[in-house]
Amino acid sequence: MSTVTSSLNEWQRKKLCSLFNHANLSLLFKASVHGYNATTFHQKCNMQGPTVIVAYNKSGYVFGAFASKDFRQTNQNIVDDKAFLFSFNDKEIKEDPLRVVSGNPQYAFTDSGPNFTSLVFLYNNTVTVYSNPGTYQFDPQKMHGNDVQLTECEVYRVEDCGGLMEKPWRNVQWNSERRKVLLSTISGWKPSVGSVKQARILLVGSVGAGKSSFFNSINSVFKGYVSSQANTGTAGTSLTTQFRTYYIKPGSGVSHVPFSLCDSMGLEEGVNTGLDIDDFASILKGHIQDRYQFNPSMAIQPDSPHFNKSPGLKDRIHCVVYVIDTCKVKLLSDKMINKFAVFRRKTNQLGIPQLVLLTKVDEACPLVAEDLKNVYQSHYINKMMQEVSAQLGVSLSAVVPVKNYCQELEIDSQTDILLLNAVVQMLRATEGFFDDLYNAEE
């Protein structure tokens, strides 16, 4: 299963969001991945509420159409007085986007594919757009530069962010002093079991959720600059093919880092793809050693040189963190939710605490992108946290939002505070694991 990512750059996303009063955009369909096909378009986009079609051409135009009504594949003309066409390009950065409404809202669009009469996307299931101003009156030069050959076509669900709450529902101090306190808290933490020197935290998540990016981000906090040790990016399948244990070197005035982050192969929906449940159980029990090469079609065998036959408590996993892309919460398939449930049950059987890390909160909500301090005032982020809590069956207190370092060149205090807060929650959960062991021995 390919990782589906948006082609919008930051400037283009802001430009597009300005047409919807800073609404959230959730990617549903990407023609280069799903195919330039109207049937597939309907499979992905029907009954999704308000949607916006975004087309790209080599001339630098980003143009498309908004529909406030559901696509249903009825082949009927749809009445929509809120529908419009739009366009902007990289040469007109300071200008407002072109916005064209229908001359007759009774025929806003035809429900037989993305057909807005004057602009028909995925025309004849090809990489072209049919352009014929009529119901929507526009200048083809201004709309798409007379270039109807596409480089990409995407569809996004348009969701109201709901604005900001009057007060944050979790209190976070955002000053530099708080950053120092968090670093000091982490550095001073010690496992309550003498045989364990570091907490081992396992990151588990679907392809592209941001597991490796989270390690790189935490590493960056301690280094004092943005670094990239773990392999990240986009690919058709998991970029992590080995079991890796990452140790973080002390830095930024910290003398001791009492945890390591373990990265695993990404979860995937299909059979014999992604992390295997038996391998997962072996990781939890401490049987799998660093740099073991995963084989999705066969779990690790006891005769493997990377199989630890007699793991101690220090080799086991002390906390499992499920990493989920906030932008994809509503797109989690039943198969993926079921796979998470299987992994959760196995983790519960072994008495290991579990948290959920929600990544890319800035991409999910434009209000958070504007100011990271809005993360606990955003109605939308709160809603996504509640949804993932219900879907995975974890308490809301176990759901922690973060922003990873992805395109930045320098670290940022607010990003650091969110990341360090997440680490503190992981260490607290780990302490609960050791407390349970102590109580069981008594």
Side-chain angles (χ1 to χ4, degrees):
M1 182 183 69
S2 296
T3 302
V4 185
T5 57
S6 171
S7 294
L8 291 167
N9 62 35
E10 185 176 356
W11 175 82
Q12 291 168 341
R13 180 176 285 272
K14 286 182 178 179
K15 204 79 164 176
L16 186 57
C17 285
S18 71
L19 292 166
F20 308 108
N21 194 26
H22 300 288
N24 177 64
L25 302 178
S26 182
L27 184 61
L28 299 171
F29 172 86
K30 188 179 184 75
S32 63
V33 174
H34 301 121
Y36 287 83
N37 185 284
T39 300
T40 309
F41 161 82
H42 280 293
Q43 290 172 354
K44 298 289 183 180
C45 305
N46 280 359
M47 305 303 294
Q48 293 290 335
T51 52
V52 60
I53 297 156
V54 183
Y56 309 76
N57 64 22
K58 288 184 178 180
S59 300
Y61 285 80
V62 179
F63 64 104
F66 169 74
S68 71
K69 302 290 182 68
D70 281 321
F71 283 98
R72 299 171 181 260
Q73 206 169 1
T74 62
N75 296 322
Q76 302 294 315
N77 290 319
I78 305 299
V79 180
D80 187 353
D81 59 2
K82 296 179 181 178
F84 62 84
L85 307 182
F86 70 90
S87 176
F88 53 87
N89 65 66
D90 295 337
K91 297 177 183 178
E92 299 172 352
I93 294 178
K94 295 183 180 181
E95 294 186 19
D96 292 333
L98 173 67
R99 187 176 183 276
V100 181
V101 299
S102 173
N104 187 350
Q106 298 291 320
Y107 301 93
F109 65 94
T110 302
D111 193 17
S112 58
N115 182 342
F116 286 74
T117 311
S118 299
L119 283 180
V120 182
F121 304 88
L122 311 180
Y123 183 58
N124 287 339
N125 294 330
T126 64
V127 295
T128 60
V129 172
Y130 171 79
S131 176
N132 184 24
T135 306
Y136 295 86
Q137 286 293 324
F138 59 83
D139 179 350
Q141 178 61 41
K142 292 183 178 180
M143 179 60 70
H144 44 63
N146 281 317
D147 182 0
V148 295
Q149 294 293 314
L150 300 185
T151 58
E152 185 61 271
C153 185
E154 299 174 329
V155 182
Y156 295 82
R157 181 172 53 233
V158 180
E159 301 169 307
D160 184 2
C161 277
L164 296 176
M165 301 177 182
E166 189 173 335
K167 296 180 179 179
W169 63 279
R170 281 182 183 169
N171 292 319
V172 176
Q173 297 175 353
W174 296 99
N175 52 53
S176 57
E177 187 60 34
R178 179 58 181 168
R179 182 182 182 277
K180 293 178 182 177
V181 169
L182 289 168
L183 282 168
S184 176
T185 299
I186 293 168
S187 178
W189 184 87
K190 292 182 180 179
S192 57
V193 178
S195 63
V196 178
K197 301 303 180 185
Q198 284 192 321
R200 280 170 60 84
I201 300 165
L202 176 65
L203 305 177
V204 179
S206 56
V207 176
K211 296 185 290 90
S212 300
S213 291
F214 178 70
F215 163 74
N216 285 337
S217 298
I218 295 297
N219 201 28
S220 298
V221 176
F222 283 91
K223 281 181 175 291
Y225 59 88
V226 176
S227 68
S228 299
Q229 181 178 339
N231 193 16
T232 63
T234 58
T237 55
S238 178
L239 281 166
T240 304
T241 60
Q242 292 181 329
F243 175 67
R244 290 303 316 271
T245 299
Y246 291 111
Y247 299 96
I248 296 169
K249 293 181 179 179
S252 292
V254 172
S255 59
H256 174 61
V257 179
F259 66 93
S260 58
L261 294 174
C262 301
D263 198 3
S264 57
M265 196 173 194
L267 298 186
E268 297 187 48
E269 293 180 1
V271 179
N272 294 333
T273 58
L275 183 62
D276 178 83
I277 183 62
D278 292 330
D279 276 341
F280 175 68
S282 293
I283 293 171
L284 297 184
K285 296 173 183 177
H287 288 303
I288 295 185
Q289 298 178 4
D290 189 36
R291 295 188 183 274
Y292 168 69
Q293 185 73 39
F294 290 108
N295 180 356
S297 62
M298 185 176 68
I300 190 171
Q301 301 299 304
D303 59 355
S304 167
H306 285 88
F307 190 88
N308 183 355
K309 294 181 179 180
S310 302
L313 182 58
K314 65 180 179 59
D315 302 309
R316 292 167 59 182
I317 295 299
H318 309 128
C319 179
V320 173
V321 178
Y322 302 102
V323 184
I324 296 177
D325 181 347
T326 311
C327 304
K328 303 291 179 63
V329 169
K330 287 196 171 186
L331 301 179
L332 285 174
S333 67
D334 290 341
K335 288 183 179 179
M336 188 59 72
I337 292 173
N338 289 337
K339 183 158 280 192
F340 273 116
V342 171
F343 279 61
R344 290 246 309 122
R345 283 195 295 271
K346 177 58 69 176
T347 309
N348 283 331
Q349 289 170 6
L350 296 172
I352 301 173
Q354 302 165 75
L355 297 177
V356 176
L357 199 67
L358 275 185
T359 61
K360 307 180 186 180
V361 290
D362 55 320
E363 294 181 25
C365 177
L367 296 171
V368 177
E370 287 180 3
D371 188 346
L372 197 57
K373 296 195 295 291
N374 289 333
V375 65
Y376 285 120
Q377 282 185 264
S378 164
H379 279 286
Y380 185 78
I381 296 300
N382 178 265
K383 181 181 177 183
M384 291 303 99
M385 291 175 69
Q386 293 191 43
E387 284 200 20
V388 83
S389 167
Q391 287 176 332
L392 269 62
V394 299
S395 67
L396 188 58
S397 62
V399 182
V400 186
V402 296
K403 174 192 180 303
N404 289 332
Y405 287 114
C406 296
Q407 60 186 11
E408 296 83 359
L409 297 178
E410 302 294 337
I411 62 171
D412 168 75
S413 179
Q414 293 174 8
T415 302
D416 284 0
I417 287 170
L418 263 194
L419 290 164
L420 292 171
N421 264 327
V423 172
V424 168
Q425 296 308 309
M426 294 172 194
L427 295 179
R428 288 175 177 174
T430 300
E431 191 60 40
F433 172 72
F434 292 134
D435 287 346
D436 287 344
L437 284 179
Y438 180 79
N439 292 332
E441 290 174 358
E442 286 190 336

